[in-house]
Amino acid sequence: MKKIKFEKLFEHPTATVDVVVFSVENGELGVLLIRRKYSPFKNMWALPGGFIRKNEELAKAARRELGEETGISGVYLEQLYTFDAPGRDPRGRVITVAYFALVQQRAMKLKASFDAKEAKLFAMRKLPKLAFDHKVIIDYALIRLRNKIQYTNAAWSMLPEAFTLGELQRLYEIILGKRLDKRNFRKKILSLGILKTLRRIKKGLRQRPARLFTFKTRKHIELRRFF
Amino acid sequence: MKKIKFEKLFEHPTATVDVVVFSVENGELGVLLIRRKYSPFKNMWALPGGFIRKNEELAKAARRELGEETGISGVYLEQLYTFDAPGRDPRGRVITVAYFALVQQRAMKLKASFDAKEAKLFAMRKLPKLAFDHKVIIDYALIRLRNKIQYTNAAWSMLPEAFTLGELQRLYEIILGKRLDKRNFRKKILSLGILKTLRRIKKGLRQRPARLFTFKTRKHIELRRFF
DNA sequence: ACAAAAGTGTTTTCATTACACCCATGG
DNA sequence: CCATGGGTGTAATGAAAACACTTTTGT
């Protein structure tokens, strides 16, 4: 193993990880942002993320940053893209490996233990001005999310263990940004065989009680495009 | 702008770019490999690639490495994935941003100006033992390629300007690794409206002459899944 | 005349879409 | 009794798959 020379090393760009955390709350698709404590872009809203430590896997770094800055853990996480436009970071040459994560509505409540002035879920339609090129990253992530839920079972990571078909459909409608036909939706989603029908029933609301379902598996599964 | 401390800097992983160059030749899908001149993995076959220079965009670095090591230029190139498994590089912590490229059969002839002992197209089915985790990267790229030609016009980058439908179909069959129905293939590909029918005809072979076609546009276009 | 690929339509199957009414509950 | 979402089937459309023979050329 060769010793790496200092001058040589200095030529290399540094690398960060950023995470786009999506969640659906109050009938809207939201992205988790944190308020930056340091320069550059001090006090501006930005994606959770930060520098990679040596010998730390990227995905692990993403989870660590997420945990440190927002208290969220145990979510679905996948690599999105590596952004490297020159000038994206005023400190100089910094490339960032972006991840995207999906979390349950409930999980966002844990975040409440953190100061809401520091980490907050913003509706996609009301994003503040963002640090770096984070708006570009979020837009890219949204495209990925929309595609993803159409050919994988990724929705499991955004819903509680048990849910009604109505809740599942609403999730799809919010993410895709369009209404879906109820009968067609149920037919299709059930024909995929990824759901398990529970005995339980959701009642207590002033409406007809609804059957509860759960995902057969809570691991990522690729299917054929289905909407 | 803060001055970056040396110790801090040293904690950062270094970054490389690797390129998976696909081409179809002799009825087989091939990958371009180079023989490594230096340690580690000296004399072993590997993907073209190398360290990123400061202030050099990743895609540009990929093109540069490709040109320097193989003489290939002007190809379709897209970012694939960033690989960072610990231990993937014996020199220590090195992450690599992988790209994949598609080149015409003809373009590979330019490469002949380089020593064939140093850069060579290997059939996917007869890959040698590879340096680093390059086998993993190639496998990942193949999946991407197979998907890509099914919902984009990417094939343009692997064929000469004018080609017959037979040649186009053979390209698809080789990449997908399965036979396609001639009539269905023609119907589908023509219905997409991405091809322009030329006046010219390919003759000279001892068989019925074939109509020549060309892609209306030689830029990347996304379509709906079509095979 | 033969080998080799070019060229050409129809039928069947399957997935997708569109569409409207009654049901069970809580208030 | 009313508001709210839950629950259900069928017909029309369009895309994909299966399938076989004739044509044109060079040798």
Side-chain angles (χ1 to χ4, degrees):
Chain A
M1 182 151 39
K2 258 183 193 164
K3 189 151 163 47
I4 300 166
K5 273 178 277 176
F6 172 62
E7 305 79 29
K8 193 74 191 159
L9 187 66
F10 218 99
E11 289 182 12
H12 296 156
T14 52
T16 59
V17 190
D18 287 307
V19 191
V20 183
V21 183
F22 285 117
S23 186
V24 167
E25 224 167 43
N26 305 325
E28 286 223 80
L29 180 63
V31 184
L32 185 70
L33 300 175
I34 58 142
R35 193 189 285 280
R36 286 184 60 81
K37 289 195 193 113
Y38 311 106
S39 154
F41 300 108
K42 188 169 174 179
N43 291 325
M44 234 180 173
W45 292 98
L47 293 173
F51 286 97
I52 300 164
R53 294 182 187 163
K54 197 174 166 93
N55 295 324
E56 179 179 47
E57 272 179 282
L58 296 173
K60 286 222 183 86
R63 279 186 203 281
R64 175 180 55 72
E65 296 284 357
L66 200 54
E68 287 175 2
E69 297 180 351
T70 68
I72 292 176
S73 64
V75 302
Y76 174 72
L77 189 77
E78 89 171 31
Q79 191 186 302
L80 186 63
Y81 195 80
T82 298
F83 293 85
D84 77 316
R88 59 172 296 283
D89 190 318
R91 287 167 297 195
R93 179 68 170 163
V94 180
I95 69 177
T96 192
V97 183
Y99 279 75
F100 97 108
L102 304 177
V103 313
Q104 290 178 33
Q105 290 109 320
R106 268 205 70 199
M108 299 304 288
K109 305 249 162 70
L110 299 176
K111 180 209 66 181
S113 59
F114 281 72
D115 186 347
K117 279 171 198 145
E118 296 187 341
K120 195 174 151 216
L121 191 71
F122 284 81
M124 272 300 286
R125 316 197 297 166
K126 293 178 211 158
L127 292 181
K129 198 148 171 28
L130 291 164
F132 305 103
D133 54 354
H134 288 185
K135 180 67 166 68
V136 173
I137 298 176
I138 291 172
D139 289 342
Y140 192 93
L142 178 59
I143 293 170
R144 175 79 64 96
L145 171 61
R146 284 183 169 160
N147 284 325
K148 210 83 193 174
I149 61 161
Q150 294 187 74
Y151 65 93
T152 72
N153 65 346
W156 68 262
S157 54
M158 305 186 79
L159 286 175
E161 184 93 18
F163 50 86
T164 68
L165 290 186
E167 288 163 348
L168 183 59
Q169 181 175 348
R170 251 164 272 139
L171 179 69
Y172 271 87
E173 289 178 334
I174 290 164
I175 293 173
L176 296 177
K178 67 178 181 199
R179 308 221 47 179
L180 300 171
D181 179 88
K182 191 177 13 169
R183 277 170 294 191
N184 292 339
F185 180 84
R186 291 156 108 90
K187 206 187 313 171
K188 178 77 106 7
I189 206 89
L190 290 173
S191 77
L192 293 173
I194 55 176
L195 298 184
K196 191 163 63 183
T197 310
L198 298 179
R199 292 265 197 71
R200 290 191 293 141
I201 273 192
K202 178 165 196 163
K203 37 190 305 192
L205 283 67
R206 52 173 185 166
Q207 68 203 225
R208 179 171 171 178
R211 166 127 271 137
L212 287 168
F213 293 82
T214 192
F215 280 94
K216 279 185 184 166
T217 167
R218 312 197 116 242
K219 287 279 167 203
H220 193 69
I221 293 179
E222 299 257 330
L223 305 157
R224 196 75 192 171
R225 180 169 295 274
F226 61 91
F227 281 111
Chain B
M1 179 149 47
K2 259 185 192 165
K3 191 156 162 50
I4 300 164
K5 273 181 282 188
F6 173 63
E7 304 79 29
K8 194 73 190 159
L9 188 66
F10 217 98
E11 286 183 16
H12 297 157
T14 51
T16 59
V17 188
D18 287 307
V19 191
V20 182
V21 183
F22 285 118
S23 188
V24 167
E25 223 164 43
N26 305 326
E28 287 222 79
L29 181 62
V31 185
L32 184 70
L33 299 176
I34 59 142
R35 192 189 285 280
R36 286 183 60 81
K37 292 196 191 109
Y38 312 107
S39 157
F41 300 109
K42 189 172 174 178
N43 291 326
M44 234 180 172
W45 293 98
L47 293 173
F51 287 97
I52 300 163
R53 295 181 187 164
K54 197 174 165 89
N55 296 321
E56 179 180 48
E57 272 179 282
L58 296 173
K60 285 223 183 86
R63 281 185 201 280
R64 175 179 55 73
E65 297 283 356
L66 200 55
E68 287 175 2
E69 296 180 351
T70 69
I72 291 174
S73 65
V75 302
Y76 174 72
L77 189 76
E78 86 171 31
Q79 191 184 304
L80 186 63
Y81 195 80
T82 299
F83 293 86
D84 77 316
R88 58 172 298 281
D89 190 317
R91 288 168 295 196
R93 178 66 169 165
V94 181
I95 69 176
T96 192
V97 183
Y99 279 75
F100 96 109
L102 304 178
V103 313
Q104 290 178 34
Q105 288 109 322
R106 267 207 70 200
M108 298 304 287
K109 303 247 162 70
L110 300 177
K111 180 209 67 183
S113 60
F114 282 71
D115 187 348
K117 279 171 198 142
E118 296 188 337
K120 197 175 148 212
L121 191 73
F122 283 81
M124 273 299 286
R125 318 199 295 167
K126 294 178 210 158
L127 291 182
K129 198 147 172 26
L130 291 166
F132 305 102
D133 55 353
H134 288 184
K135 181 65 167 70
V136 173
I137 297 177
I138 290 173
D139 289 342
Y140 191 95
L142 178 58
I143 293 169
R144 174 78 66 97
L145 171 61
R146 283 182 170 159
N147 284 326
K148 210 84 193 173
I149 61 162
Q150 294 186 75
Y151 66 94
T152 73
N153 65 346
W156 69 262
S157 55
M158 304 184 80
L159 286 174
E161 184 93 18
F163 50 85
T164 68
L165 291 186
E167 288 162 348
L168 182 60
Q169 183 176 346
R170 250 163 273 139
L171 179 68
Y172 272 87
E173 289 178 335
I174 290 163
I175 293 173
L176 297 177
K178 67 178 179 197
R179 307 221 48 180
L180 299 172
D181 179 87
K182 190 174 16 166
R183 279 169 294 189
N184 292 339
F185 180 83
R186 289 164 175 252
K187 209 187 309 173
K188 179 77 106 8
I189 207 88
L190 290 174
S191 77
L192 293 174
I194 55 176
L195 298 183
K196 191 162 62 181
T197 310
L198 297 179
R199 292 267 196 71
R200 290 191 293 140
I201 274 194
K202 177 166 197 164
K203 37 191 299 190
L205 283 68
R206 50 172 187 166
Q207 70 202 225
R208 179 171 170 178
R211 167 127 271 135
L212 287 168
F213 292 82
T214 193
F215 280 93
K216 279 185 185 167
T217 167
R218 313 198 115 242
K219 287 280 168 205
H220 193 70
I221 294 178
E222 300 258 331
L223 306 157
R224 196 75 191 169
R225 178 170 296 271
F226 61 90
F227 280 111

